[in-house]
């Protein structure tokens, strides 16, 4: 009898776990993965992918409105939430099937049940079966945080928002981070009244202040209401089924759905890691070294469960690097420099490198800032007052572009390419020497003087 059932047993078939499984298998390892919910994980099943489809779906409201300026007559325009929701959920099914095929094609066994660690090289499945593996990878991701307040059981999180039985008339969103700002944009565009309530007085902490101000201005003009310094304290059900919400010192106000988006915590509860001697961090995260190895030599962890950077492409890179390191004979660590990120708010914003305030602090003020504050041609033509804002942060001593921050139509699509320049250490002079691509919004990046 072989000493181990598998060379690698992965717990969690999300972005990081599936990538690690398939790459380890391609290096010749015998691999199995266990998933208690659906293959694909947060990003595919109830995160990035269905969210982006809802952003696309809701964006038609703006496009159809603007179409009149271009000579189109759109008659009998109406929107059916059930159609969008069901089409999105069908696409999620399609993607889940594609992920399962990837595992099958790479001869990775998959168990559709919960698995917990019962020793440094053993996991036990919900069915009671014990599996021995030479290496275990934990890739179970994170789970929405639900703050403690009266009536929080009446609220939903991003897990449930994709399944709403109907489009709510009034949506209250607690939190002002990624999920809150993206869903505020979606529901606002679909015609719901949106109120964002946050415990502090800021949105999107961590993004450049100029972009955050611009997003706030534009979204307020679009009708989103904000209540700052006002965490939710109570949610009550009314006789008619609607909700009554109390936030901060404000008078209670009505809502049909309350979405709580107050961060995501590593999903390590009950995973049995203590049985392998692993001590969790303060937020429940699994501490790992730069090769994603835990304090137990046979157990590794990647993705949101390690709480390094909670982004899908990072989990994928960590999973890939782990598989190459342990099974491919090419040890490598993930590089966290100049990670581009975006918020698919409406308008979207995107960013890479240091913000203006981070740069001023790090370089003791030796920073040059260039901005382009412009009204995109398509907005001018459609009579939309909304302006885009691009900002370049330059290290004055080297002329290197160390930060690019953008808000405006298609900002994430444009920023991906600019991130290459920032990573490559290009200078403002390199940007200036690049001929503008006219007419485009992105030409602003090379025209700032
Ligand atoms: P974020 O960390 O982005 O935002 C959390 C928000 O909730 C903040 O506004 C914060 O307030 C507030 N908050 C935090 N804790 C509490 C609390 N206990 N009570 C009340 N308010 C609180 O989290 P999200 O849930 O929006 O998203 C989770 C993660 O998912 C993100 O960190 C991101 O990595 C990922 N994600 C990425 C996306 C993308 O790349 N486009 C899209 C969606 C999610 P304040 O900061 O003011 O203190």
């Amino acid at each position: 009898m072989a000493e181990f059932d598998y060379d690698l047993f992965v717990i969690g078939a999300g972005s990081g776990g599936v990538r690690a499984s398939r790459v380890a298998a391609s290096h010749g390892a015998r691999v199995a993965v266990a998933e208690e919910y659906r293959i694909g994980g947060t990003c595919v099943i109830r995160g990035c992918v269905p969210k982006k489809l809802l952003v696309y779906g809701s964006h038609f409201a703006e496009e159809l409105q603007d179409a009149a300026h271009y000579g189109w007559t759109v008659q009998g325009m109406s929107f059916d939430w059930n159609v969008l929701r069901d089409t999105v959920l069908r696409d999620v099914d399609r993607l889940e099937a594609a992920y399962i095929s990837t595992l099958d094609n790479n001869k990775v066994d998959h168990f559709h049940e919960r698995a917990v660690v019962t020793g440094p090289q053993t996991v036990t499945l919900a069915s009671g079966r014990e599996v021995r593996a030479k290496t275990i990878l934990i890739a179970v991701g994170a789970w929405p945080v639900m703050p403690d307040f009266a009536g929080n059981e009446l609220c939903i999180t991003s897990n449930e928002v994709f399944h709403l039985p109907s489009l709510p008339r009034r949506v209250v969103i607690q939190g002002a981070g990624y999920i809150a700002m993206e869903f505020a944009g979606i529901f606002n565009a679909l015609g719901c009244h949106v109120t964002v309530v946050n415990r502090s007085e800021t949105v999107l902490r961590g993004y450049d202040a100029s972009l955050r101000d611009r997003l706030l201005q534009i979204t307020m003009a679009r009708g989103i209401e904000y209540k700052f310094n006002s965490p939710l304290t109570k949610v009550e059900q009314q006789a008619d089924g609607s909700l009554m919400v109390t936030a901060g010192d404000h008078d209670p106000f009505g809502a049909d759905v309350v979405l709580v988006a107050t961060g995501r915590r590593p999903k390590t509860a009950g995973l049995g890691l203590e049985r392998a001697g692993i001590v969790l961090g303060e937020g429940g995260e699994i501490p790992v070294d730069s090769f994603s190895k835990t304090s137990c030599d046979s157990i590794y962890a990647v993705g949101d469960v390690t709480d390094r950077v909670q982004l899908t492409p990072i989990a994928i890179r960590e999973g890939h690097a782990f598989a190459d390191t342990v099974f491919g004979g090419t040890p490598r660590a993930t590089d966290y420099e100049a990670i581009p990120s975006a918020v698919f708010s409406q308008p979207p914003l995107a960013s890479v490198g240091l913000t203006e305030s981070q740069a001023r602090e790090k370089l003791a003020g030796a920073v040059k800032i260039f901005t382009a504050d412009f009204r995109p041609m398509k907005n001018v033509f459609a009579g939309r007052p909304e302006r885009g804002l691009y900002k370049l942060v330059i290290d004055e001593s080297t002329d290197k572009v160390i930060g690019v921050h953008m808000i405006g139509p298609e900002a994430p699509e444009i920023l991906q390419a600019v991130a290459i320049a920032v990573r490559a250490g290009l200078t403002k002079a390199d940007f200036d020497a690049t001929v503008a691509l006219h007419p485009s919004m992105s030409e602003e990046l090379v025209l700032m003087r």
Side-chain angles (χ1 to χ4, degrees):
M1 196 170 114
E3 191 185 352
F4 296 108
D5 301 302
Y6 293 100
D7 298 315
L8 172 65
F9 195 95
V10 180
I11 306 182
S15 301
V18 168
R19 174 60 69 94
S21 302
R22 130 171 126 61
V23 176
S26 75
H27 288 314
R30 291 170 306 141
V31 184
V33 57
E35 169 57 57
E36 65 180 332
Y37 185 53
R38 294 180 66 182
I39 305 279
T42 300
C43 175
V44 172
I45 306 296
R46 48 192 173 195
C48 330
V49 171
K51 177 278 308 288
K52 186 76 184 274
L53 293 170
L54 292 184
V55 171
Y56 280 138
S58 64
H59 213 262
F60 279 100
E62 181 178 327
E63 304 286 343
L64 289 168
Q65 229 173 41
D66 291 355
H69 293 267
Y70 293 86
W72 294 91
T73 306
V74 186
Q75 280 166 340
M77 190 170 100
S78 69
F79 172 72
D80 187 335
W81 163 255
N82 292 2
V83 172
L84 177 61
R85 180 200 58 205
D86 293 347
T87 317
V88 168
L89 294 178
R90 272 199 299 279
D91 209 52
V92 168
D93 293 344
R94 178 187 67 77
L95 279 168
E96 183 184 18
Y99 269 68
I100 292 172
S101 300
T102 299
L103 294 176
D104 289 339
N105 293 341
N106 286 280
K107 302 195 170 22
V108 174
D109 288 347
H110 35 101
F111 297 96
H112 294 248
E113 55 189 306
R114 183 168 167 82
V116 296
V117 173
T118 39
Q121 292 177 307
T122 46
V123 298
T124 301
L125 298 170
S127 57
R129 175 172 168 189
E130 190 171 272
V131 180
R132 290 158 307 144
K134 195 162 180 221
T135 303
I136 296 169
L137 176 69
I138 312 292
V140 296
W143 196 249
V145 172
M146 179 61 84
D148 197 19
F149 57 85
N152 65 4
E153 74 283 359
L154 299 169
C155 304
I156 62 166
T157 69
S158 55
N159 285 349
E160 294 81 36
V161 73
F162 298 102
H163 300 270
L164 289 178
S166 58
L167 188 65
R169 192 165 59 81
R170 299 157 304 171
V171 183
V172 170
I173 304 179
Q174 149 114 309
Y178 282 87
I179 296 176
M181 297 311 289
E182 291 180 344
F183 276 95
I186 291 167
F187 285 123
N188 171 255
L190 292 178
C192 313
H193 182 270
V194 177
T195 309
V196 172
V197 299
N198 198 26
R199 64 175 177 183
S200 71
E201 52 197 5
T202 188
V203 299
L204 296 174
R205 187 190 297 288
Y207 276 88
D208 191 272
S210 311
L211 265 56
R212 297 193 272 142
D213 283 354
R214 183 59 53 92
L215 182 67
L216 208 51
Q217 278 169 24
I218 294 177
T219 53
M220 282 166 79
R222 285 186 176 207
I224 296 178
E225 214 179 299
Y226 290 89
K227 294 186 196 295
F228 290 117
N229 300 312
S230 307
L232 287 186
T233 49
K234 199 183 341 167
V235 175
E236 294 166 291
Q237 187 127 41
Q238 305 294 99
D240 64 357
S242 71
L243 302 169
M244 190 55 74
V245 174
T246 311
D249 318 330
H250 298 277
D251 288 337
F253 53 99
D256 301 298
V257 161
V258 179
L259 168 64
V260 173
T262 48
R264 296 172 58 84
R265 192 172 289 147
K267 202 168 172 244
T268 43
L271 209 54
L273 291 159
E274 66 287 349
R275 310 209 28 197
I278 296 171
V279 178
L280 299 176
E282 251 174 44
E285 75 279 11
I286 303 178
V288 287
D289 67 12
S290 56
F291 295 100
S292 297
K293 190 162 89 170
T294 68
S295 59
C296 172
D297 278 347
S298 53
I299 302 185
Y300 289 71
V302 296
D304 286 0
V305 78
T306 64
D307 206 15
R308 285 175 280 187
V309 181
Q310 285 190 347
L311 292 175
T312 298
I314 295 297
I316 291 173
R317 281 184 170 244
E318 290 169 351
H320 203 129
F322 152 78
D324 285 348
T325 301
V326 178
F327 299 100
T330 46
R332 57 190 188 84
T334 298
D335 180 357
Y336 298 95
E337 271 300 298
I339 298 171
S341 68
V343 185
F344 294 96
S345 45
Q346 301 188 27
L349 52 88
S351 197
V352 64
L354 300 184
T355 63
E356 179 176 347
S357 62
Q358 286 167 343
R360 287 197 189 285
E361 202 177 305
K362 187 172 175 199
L363 302 176
V367 170
K368 263 199 193 156
I369 301 295
F370 293 85
T371 54
D373 187 338
F374 63 101
R375 201 168 155 209
M377 189 174 168
K378 62 185 280 209
N379 285 2
V380 175
F381 194 76
R384 278 186 186 276
E386 296 170 4
R387 301 178 70 83
L389 180 67
Y390 295 177
K391 182 188 273 191
L392 299 185
V393 182
I394 315 296
D395 178 339
E396 209 168 15
S397 63
T398 60
D399 195 40
K400 279 189 181 167
V401 180
I402 54 172
V404 180
H405 308 280
M406 310 170 65
I407 178 168
E410 310 300 344
E413 298 293 342
I414 301 166
L415 187 103
Q416 176 71 81
V418 193
I420 301 171
V422 174
R423 218 194 115 69
L426 299 191
T427 60
K428 175 69 165 55
D430 292 316
F431 276 54
D432 294 348
T434 305
V435 174
L437 195 158
H438 184 73
S440 68
M441 291 177 285
S442 49
E443 68 180 315
E444 299 292 341
L445 288 167
V446 299
L447 295 175
M448 292 185 215
R449 298 291 186 267

